[in-house]
């Protein structure tokens, strides 16, 4: 195996003498050429993690390895990391060419080498025809390309992108996402991408580290993070509409096992018999809205009343109330019931996920698979 490009080892950052724990002991390995997204809500510790990798903040504890060597104590300029912020910081009074070459000129690189690198980056980013333009006249996504280009010419070992698309309009954002994917394929850079936007993370990353409250709740392939959430936070955060999550308890009756929460009762498949806690113990029941089927009264399942119907193009999100619990269901728009209809929900056993009511972890995954506590 080749050496990982970047390794975070039990990385921790405290502020205010330990009153604020911004990053609470995270481990992360990024392979060469891989694109990894740090995904999580505002305040979960993404920027602090990024700032420690770049060298703008020193960790309180733990280590950071780049190409197998610790970079703790190394000045930001010595880490060979390219950082692109959301607010670009492109010099608007300069031309595109000058923006791209400026850093290299200060670094004293020979003119011919500067010209070569600027030409290459411009070509790669579709900026060749804009080199003589003043940056002040560029649009948002062009500015963003200049910001990325300015970093690429320094030939960084790792490219860090901090919410790079959040200032762009929806259309430009999509175009830029395509652009970034194309770049990844072409130059094989190692990229770390910080975002609170799951669509961006899911469409760009090879692996996603989902963070909350300073911890990594799951670090895995994008499809696994969606299909097998390791932690109740990940289940609720990824997917739109998000997974239905209902707190309740386990009921055991001989070999039979079921989930119960007030009037809601769902029989559980036997695969849970060995991993679920004992009778009366707390669990969180999870099912994705697209996995539930709506049937008519008289069929077996969970009976409820449709409390809202929200059309979403070809689909509709139907909310069904059963007792004091609500479940969202995604159905083809043509099949949607009406508000007030009585329906029966069929919950396929294969798609049920159970989380511990005490640790919030997926009961079917071994603790080792699901990153730190
Ligand atoms: P994110 O980038 O995910 O929004 P941050 O890394 O900015 O999260 O912040 C993580 C937590 O650390 C937050 O609770 C934030 O208030 C706190 N924090 C960040 N920087 C500082 C600081 N310089 N002093 C005190 N607290 C900070």
């Amino acid at each position: 195996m080749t050496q990982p490009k970047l390794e975070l080892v039990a990385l921790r950052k405290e502020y205010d003498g330990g009153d604020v724990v911004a990053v609470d002991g995270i481990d992360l390995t990024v392979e060469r050429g891989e694109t990894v997204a740090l995904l999580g809500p505002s305040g979960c510790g993404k920027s602090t993690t990024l700032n420690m990798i770049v060298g703008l903040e020193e960790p309180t504890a733990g280590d950071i390895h780049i190409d197998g060597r610790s970079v703790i104590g190394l000045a930001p300029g010595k880490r060979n990391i390219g950082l692109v912020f959301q607010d670009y910081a492109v010099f608007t009074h300069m031309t595109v060419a000058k923006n791209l070459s400026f850093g290299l000129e200060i670094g004293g690189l020979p003119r011919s080498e500067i010209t070569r690198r600027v030409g290459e980056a411009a070509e790669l980013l579709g900026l060749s025809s804009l080199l003589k333009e003043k940056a002040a006249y560029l649009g948002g996504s062009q500015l963003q390309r200049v910001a990325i280009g300015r970093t690429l010419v320094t030939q960084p070992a790792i490219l860090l992108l901090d919410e790079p698309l959040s200032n762009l309009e929806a259309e430009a954002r999509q175009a830029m996402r395509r652009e970034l994917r194309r770049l990844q394929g072409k130059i094989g850079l190692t990229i770390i991408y910080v975002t609170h936007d799951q669509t961006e993370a899911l469409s760009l990353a090879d692996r996603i580290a989902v963070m909350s409250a300073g911890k990594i709740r799951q670090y895995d392939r994008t499809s696994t993070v969606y299909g097998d959430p390791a932690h109740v936070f990940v289940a609720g955060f990824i997917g739109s509409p998000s997974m239905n999550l209902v707190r309740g308890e386990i009921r055991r009756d001989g070999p039979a096992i079921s989930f119960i929460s007030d009037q809601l009762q769902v029989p559980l498949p036997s695969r849970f018999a060995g991993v679920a806690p004992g009778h009366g113990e707390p669990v969180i029941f999870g099912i994705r809205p697209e996995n539930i089927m709506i049937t008519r009264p008289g069929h077996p399942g969970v009976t409820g009343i449709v409390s809202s119907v929200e059309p979403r193009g070809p689909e509709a999100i139907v909310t069904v109330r059963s007792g004091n619990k609500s479940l969202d269901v995604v159905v083809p728009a043509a099949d949607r019931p009406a508000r007030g209809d009585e329906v029966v929900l069929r919950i396929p056993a294969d798609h049920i996920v159970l989380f511990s009511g005490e640790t919030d972890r997926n009961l079917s995954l071994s603790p080792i698979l699901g990153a730190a506590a």
Side-chain angles (χ1 to χ4, degrees):
M1 273 251 312
T2 56
Q3 209 165 42
K5 196 71 201 171
L6 172 76
E7 256 181 307
L8 307 182
V9 187
L11 195 64
R12 184 176 177 85
K13 180 67 183 180
E14 298 172 0
Y15 290 109
D16 303 338
D19 287 349
V20 178
V21 181
V23 174
D24 193 2
I26 61 172
D27 295 289
L28 188 82
T29 302
V30 181
E31 304 296 339
R32 192 175 303 269
E34 196 175 25
T35 297
V36 165
L38 294 184
L39 173 69
S42 176
C44 73
K46 304 181 295 291
S47 303
T48 306
T49 303
L50 205 73
N51 288 340
M52 288 192 282
I53 298 172
V54 184
L56 298 173
E57 296 271 7
E58 282 301 322
T60 309
D63 210 342
I64 300 168
H65 297 149
I66 295 176
D67 288 323
R69 288 223 192 105
S70 175
V71 295
I72 301 294
L74 214 56
K78 297 261 160 65
R79 295 189 184 192
N80 196 15
I81 290 175
L83 179 61
V84 178
F85 285 111
Q86 59 179 318
D87 47 6
Y88 328 126
V90 167
F91 299 115
T92 48
H93 62 286
M94 292 182 186
T95 61
V96 170
K98 192 73 182 171
N99 265 286
L100 295 181
S101 62
F102 188 64
L104 301 181
E105 286 164 4
I106 288 186
L109 212 63
R111 191 71 237 171
S112 57
E113 177 64 11
I114 294 177
T115 308
R116 192 184 66 76
R117 289 198 198 175
V118 167
E120 244 178 50
E123 177 72 38
L124 207 57
L125 289 157
L127 292 170
S128 302
S129 63
L130 297 173
L131 282 171
K132 295 204 173 76
E133 291 283 332
K134 264 225 175 105
Y137 302 127
L138 301 184
S141 65
Q142 290 168 332
L143 279 175
Q144 183 60 286
R145 276 188 258 171
V146 175
I148 293 174
R150 204 177 44 182
T151 307
L152 286 184
V153 293
T154 66
Q155 304 185 329
I158 303 173
L159 182 63
L160 296 186
L161 301 169
D162 189 1
E163 302 273 5
L165 310 185
S166 58
N167 283 352
L168 301 179
E169 303 288 327
E171 209 170 308
R173 200 154 55 216
Q174 214 170 14
M176 205 59 216
R177 276 212 298 267
R178 269 199 301 273
E179 188 78 10
L180 281 172
R181 266 202 304 270
R182 198 176 58 82
L183 265 183
Q184 284 166 340
K186 256 194 170 158
I187 54 181
L189 252 180
T190 307
I191 300 178
I192 300 179
Y193 195 99
V194 169
T195 181
H196 64 278
D197 180 335
Q198 55 165 304
T199 315
E200 238 161 79
L202 288 165
S203 68
L204 282 171
D206 300 309
R207 286 196 283 176
I208 300 183
V210 186
M211 294 185 70
S212 77
K215 293 180 197 286
I216 293 179
R217 302 301 182 180
Q218 187 167 15
Y219 180 41
D220 220 319
R221 304 252 137 222
T222 49
S223 56
T224 311
V225 168
Y226 183 83
D228 273 324
H231 188 277
V232 79
F233 175 80
V234 178
F237 192 70
I238 305 233
S240 171
S242 60
M243 185 183 271
N244 292 292
L245 294 164
V246 184
R247 274 186 188 274
E249 58 187 54
I250 289 294
R251 174 160 295 180
R252 288 183 187 261
D253 188 8
I257 177 167
S258 55
F259 167 80
I260 182 156
S261 178
D262 299 312
Q263 290 107 305
L264 183 70
Q265 183 160 7
V266 184
L268 296 174
S270 58
R271 68 186 153 93
F272 287 119
V275 294
H279 183 86
E281 296 289 329
V283 289
I284 300 160
F285 172 92
I287 182 89
R288 289 219 179 262
E290 59 271 30
N291 294 138
I292 303 181
M293 274 160 289
I294 294 189
T295 59
R296 289 167 199 280
H299 288 76
V302 174
T303 302
I305 302 289
V306 175
S307 61
S308 82
V309 179
E310 184 194 324
R312 264 206 195 181
E315 295 172 333
I317 303 169
V318 177
T319 306
V320 175
R321 207 157 175 82
S322 177
N324 60 355
K325 299 286 180 295
S326 282
L327 294 174
D328 287 338
V329 186
V330 173
V331 297
D335 301 345
R336 66 183 188 274
R339 195 160 165 256
D341 281 359
E342 186 180 311
V343 293
V344 170
L345 302 181
R346 192 139 61 87
I347 298 176
D350 281 0
H351 292 290
I352 295 172
V353 189
L354 276 191
F355 301 91
S356 160
E358 278 165 1
T359 65
D360 287 349
R361 288 165 168 285
N362 186 329
L363 288 167
S364 303
L365 296 180
S366 114
I368 301 149
L369 286 176

